[in-house]
Every structure is written in C-alpha cells, then in structure tokens.
Amino acid sequence: GLRTRKSGQYRHVDLHLVVARHLPVGEAHSLCDKIEAEIEGKLPRVHMLIHCEPCEAVEEPGEAICHGSSCGMNGKGCPEGRCPISDGNKENRP
C-alpha cells in the first residue's frame, strides 16, 4: 500500500512494504533505507514512513518465497512458477 499527501511545502509518503517472511531484520532495514533514498532523491521535501511486515504466505524457511502481487515480485520464486496469492488458484493457496 502506498499513500501520499501534501501538507504545506512537504509531501508525506506512507508505504506498506511486505517482505519475505524470513528476511533478516537488518536486510529489511537496508531495503527500507534504499527505498527512502530513492524516493527522497526524486521528491524534494518529502517525509517518509515505511511500515515493513512479513509476508504470511510462507511458513518455514526453505519453502518457496512468497512473491505474489502483494510482495511486488510477480510470481518469481513461487512453486512451479505459480504464486499462491496472485494467480487466483485456490488449491495453491496456503
């Protein structure tokens, strides 16, 4: 989810970021820093808030990583190339 609003001369950006469930906290933090830097480089006077949370579609390490539309990766890494979230196939959903 992404929301933006303007208040005076500032743009406020709220971003809901879903990451792989077993991504180490340090890596998730680095990813958020990179996203913030990219946006701040394009939008002057921006205030960023990123809410990072784990994808709930994968339960154990070693399983296919959830890369559905909610994760922004378009099915890469999903079992047999199919995303249990975005492909609409109820049989493949966790």
Side-chain angles (χ1 to χ4, degrees), residues 21-44:
R21 181 178 182 85
H22 301 287
L23 186 69
V25 173
E27 288 184 39
H29 182 77
S30 293
L31 178 59
C32 290
D33 286 346
K34 288 177 186 176
I35 292 169
E36 287 177 6
E38 284 282 324
I39 292 173
E40 289 169 353
K42 306 243 186 240
L43 296 174

Side-chain angles (χ1 to χ4, degrees), residues 1 16-19 55 57 66-74 83 85-86:
H16 180 117
L17 179 66
V18 180
V19 298
C55 180
C66 170
H67 286 182
S69 59
S70 66
C71 295
M73 299 301 287
N74 301 317
C83 177
I85 293 175
S86 67

Side-chain angles (χ1 to χ4, degrees), residues 3-4 8 18-19 21-22 29 33 39 47-48 53 56 60 73 76 80 86 88 93:
R3 295 185 312 164
T4 68
V18 180
V19 298
R21 181 178 182 85
H22 301 287
H29 182 77
D33 286 346
I39 292 173
H47 289 232
M48 292 286 307
E53 71 177 64
E56 296 297 326
E60 298 297 327
M73 299 301 287
K76 295 176 189 167
E80 300 174 14
S86 67
R93 291 185 186 179

